[in-house]
Amino acid sequence: MDAIKMANLTNRDLIHNCDSFPNRVSQPVAYAELLESYVLFQHEGKTLGYLLPKVVEALRELPDDWHITGSAASLASKHDTFEKRSEALKRTVEKWRDEQRFAILKGWRNELYPCYAGPKNVVFVMERSACCLFGLVTYGIHMNGYIPATDSAPLRMWVPRRSPHKQTYGGMLDNTVAGGISYPMTPYDTLVKEAEEEASLPAELVKKNTKAAGVATYFYISCSKQGGEGGWLQPEVQYIYDMVIPEGTVPKPNDNEVESFELLTVEEVKKALAAGEFKPNCALVMIDFFVRHGILTVDNEPNFIEICARLHRTLEFPLP
Amino acid sequence: MDAIKMANLTNRDLIHNCDSFPNRVSQPVAYAELLESYVLFQHEGKTLGYLLPKVVEALRELPDDWHITGSAASLASKHDTFEKRSEALKRTVEKWRDEQRFAILKGWRNELYPCYAGPKNVVFVMERSACCLFGLVTYGIHMNGYIPATDSAPLRMWVPRRSPHKQTYGGMLDNTVAGGISYPMTPYDTLVKEAEEEASLPAELVKKNTKAAGVATYFYISCSKQGGEGGWLQPEVQYIYDMVIPEGTVPKPNDNEVESFELLTVEEVKKALAAGEFKPNCALVMIDFFVRHGILTVDNEPNFIEICARLHRTLEFPLP
């Protein structure tokens, strides 16, 4: 695997730092080789995620809850309801947290995330910080707030800097509003809630000025800036929104997650991207904004087609 | 392979009618099975396209120009320049045209398309109508012209109906402007040229009011409406543009490709999409417009994530 590059980053580097799991179509050999090092986490014949050897080893110590064959692990068949499966997973990951078995669980969130086996079929819920131990797909929303270009001023974007004390990616730049979707919230409800909590943007303004703009999908291998040991597998789905922020409306931190907001021109955002100042998936969402707004085009970006495809990766796991 | 569905189409059906080649990530078994029926068209170890058995059979009759092993075909190694390769391909496909070997060549265009082995590396050029015989990636532009919503009127789109006499997809609905990119034109030059030719939109207005908006990639298996026998493989890259058409500017046919233009509301476009009235790849580009403009969202489209990913398929061939 390539090392993560941190400065003078091209847009392709930025995508690569976030969509870092080899792609089965464009990198079939690297994909097959990497996959051999994992065990499949399965439910009724469907693969929900990939397990690192150290996780499989830890699951082997829990034969009451887990059934493990050579290449696949699944919950014991007696866990045959949403509640029983969720309970068994809770038991499993709380044990690991209490034993301090995996450093990533120091970031325990007390938030439950859903795992889908298909449309409208939630198999179980799981503590947010533990999802990456099982390689589960997680879901979030990202919104870029901007002031459109006028005759006298260029387009500008409201960019927050994360609190240096935040457990994950402290001090890095972010999208205007972003957050994970806890069960059973909808993407839109999450957007409205986080806009209030992270940026003091009133619900009414968000509802009036925000437009859905698609979804970004990618497959991240975590780095140590996330807290913990790094190397975890994180296929992610981010619902994307654009919000026109009226001149005079100033986003303000409202909880301890954001340190400050700055109004940046596209050139300033590009410079910060190239310097590696953005949290990896926020860089990817910013590139998606640039593509949709005609800032990044085939005329100024040599890897335009690859970048557009990788912003919308086909994930190999069941989706909602 | 699923049959093409023609009425009461969902957005997923519309994508499926255009992105019809099985995906290696989400349909690994169907992909592997289908691939076994083809021979790879290779150049210096890179696969440029897939060849149907009947094409391989025809290539075997030309041992001077073609080298064929069990699973791969390539141009004879003496064809070691762009010019020699282009000349050999010209000889090959003109022979087939004159012999009426493949019906699709009745649509001979006298337009040359480039085939890339990688960025800025054009291996050869090839008659447009013959590209699908070799499964080569082709490139085009699609532009949707629209009147933005106002306080008193909803968003409306300028939709042309193709001439019933057009060889391919006669009588079907299209995007406002669309066209293939002939060698060595750029996407933007093609947009400006086609906007004048197909819709009488002056270059100056196009340059002022048009915004790049990404790229759609998909892998189409052609149907008989395209002319010829159907079943050809067409991986395609379409550069996408949005144009704000000022109230009062009316696109008008300027060549014999378009019959008429109509100004449709989103609801009217949706109805025509569901009725199968749009040319398959124009339906896909329309869905991309709906996603980017917040018309299609996770709240009203059950297969939202899949659709967004399939609009931006990772193609397994070298790209420019």
Side-chain angles (χ1 to χ4, degrees), chain A residues 40-49 51 66 71-75:
Chain A
L40 309 180
F41 175 22
Q42 292 200 318
H43 171 71
E44 294 179 353
K46 286 182 179 159
T47 298
L48 306 178
L51 303 169
W66 291 89
S71 62
S74 52
L75 283 162

Side-chain angles (χ1 to χ4, degrees), chain B residues 27-87:
Chain B
Q27 304 157 274
V29 176
Y31 175 87
E33 283 177 1
L34 191 54
L35 214 60
E36 270 187 22
S37 62
Y38 304 126
V39 160
L40 308 180
F41 175 21
Q42 291 200 316
H43 171 71
E44 294 179 353
K46 286 180 179 160
T47 299
L48 306 178
Y50 302 144
L51 304 168
L52 270 66
K54 59 187 170 187
V55 173
V56 179
E57 202 177 298
L59 291 178
R60 280 190 203 286
E61 298 168 18
L62 305 164
D64 246 26
D65 285 331
W66 291 89
H67 176 73
I68 302 170
T69 65
S71 63
S74 51
L75 283 162
S77 57
K78 67 180 173 184
H79 299 315
D80 54 0
T81 64
F82 168 86
E83 286 76 18
K84 288 182 198 167
R85 287 186 289 264
S86 302
E87 192 51 45

Side-chain angles (χ1 to χ4, degrees), chain B residues 164-229:
Chain B
H165 311 298
K166 207 165 150 67
Q167 261 159 343
T168 59
Y169 309 100
M172 299 190 85
L173 299 179
D174 207 322
N175 302 121
T176 316
V177 172
I181 303 170
S182 296
Y183 184 77
M185 297 270 287
T186 67
Y188 195 76
D189 292 343
T190 306
L191 165 74
V192 172
K193 171 179 159 284
E194 296 282 343
E196 174 68 37
E197 284 181 11
E198 292 190 352
S200 315
L201 292 165
E204 209 155 309
L205 189 70
V206 172
K207 287 178 184 175
K208 188 173 157 226
N209 285 12
T210 302
K211 235 175 54 172
V215 64
T217 43
Y218 50 86
F219 197 155
Y220 182 53
I221 302 178
S222 71
C223 69
S224 59
K225 287 205 175 183
Q226 184 169 345
E229 49 274 81

Side-chain angles (χ1 to χ4, degrees), chain B residues 99-171:
Chain B
E99 289 171 353
Q100 303 188 17
R101 180 123 188 182
F102 298 110
I104 191 80
L105 296 179
K106 282 184 198 159
W108 195 271
R109 306 287 285 252
N110 274 319
E111 275 181 56
L112 293 174
Y113 269 22
C115 173
Y116 291 85
K120 294 181 186 177
N121 180 6
V122 180
V123 212
F124 55 76
V125 289
M126 162 95 104
E127 154 62 22
R128 174 171 179 170
S129 62
C131 287
C132 63
L133 297 178
F134 296 85
L136 301 178
V137 183
T138 59
Y139 305 86
I141 62 97
H142 283 243
M143 182 266 267
N144 272 313
Y146 68 106
I147 304 179
T150 63
D151 286 344
S152 58
L155 184 147
R156 285 157 297 158
M157 309 190 71
W158 279 109
V159 175
R161 191 173 291 280
R162 297 163 72 89
S163 160
H165 311 298
K166 207 165 150 67
Q167 261 159 343
T168 59
Y169 309 100

Side-chain angles (χ1 to χ4, degrees), chain A residues 233-249:
Chain A
L233 308 182
Q234 298 182 240
E236 296 191 342
V237 170
Q238 306 291 358
Y239 298 97
I240 307 289
Y241 298 88
D242 284 353
M243 178 173 173
V244 172
I245 311 261
E247 282 273 11
T249 298

